Amino acid sequence: WEHPFAQNMEVLTEKIDEVEVDVAVDDMGVLGIEIEEVLKVGDETSSIVVKSVSPGGAGDKSGLIPGDVIARIDGDSVSGQSAKDTSSKIVGVPGETVRMVLLRTPAFIA
């Protein structure tokens, strides 16, 4: 099985803009997003992609959208990390802020 983004990861990474977003951790200690690890075709390094965003959740309120590629969390690169490792970085104490740098195709930038 191959993730639908996998075929387009090279195209996406060639035509992207960096978007920096501060996301406040919600009352449950999460950001309200689901992430997954996507392996670019012909590459051994995976990317972490936002798979879904909970409507009304912290990620939604901060403007995260499905398809965003997470590049850095609080200044640390997530390139090559597993979704499990990355997930541990996007939970926290309610009210904390997580700073994320996202890679997003220009068509998705409002």
Side-chain angles (χ1 to χ4, degrees):
W1 180 81
E2 188 173 87
H3 188 280
F5 287 129
Q7 292 292 334
N8 298 318
M9 284 304 287
E10 190 167 323
V11 173
L12 288 175
T13 55
E14 289 175 2
K15 300 177 181 180
I16 53 170
D17 287 321
E18 280 193 2
V19 178
E20 192 167 314
V21 178
D22 289 327
V23 184
V25 177
D26 70 13
D27 293 338
M28 297 179 65
V30 297
L31 303 183
I33 62 173
E34 182 181 3
I35 61 172
E36 65 184 337
E37 190 175 346
V38 177
L39 189 62
K40 184 168 67 171
V41 175
D43 199 351
E44 294 181 11
T45 303
S46 60
S47 296
I48 302 298
V49 177
V50 175
K51 182 177 180 180
S52 63
V53 180
S54 299
D60 183 37
K61 291 176 183 175
S62 298
L64 274 67
I65 58 173
D68 281 342
V69 177
I70 301 173
R72 292 187 297 280
I73 297 174
D74 290 331
D76 296 326
S77 174
V78 298
S79 178
Q81 291 187 2
S82 69
K84 182 179 179 179
D85 290 340
T86 303
S87 291
S88 68
K89 295 180 179 186
I90 58 173
V91 296
V93 177
E96 280 186 345
T97 299
V98 175
R99 177 162 287 183
M100 302 174 80
V101 174
L102 309 169
L103 305 179
R104 183 179 290 173
T105 57
F108 292 129
I109 296 177

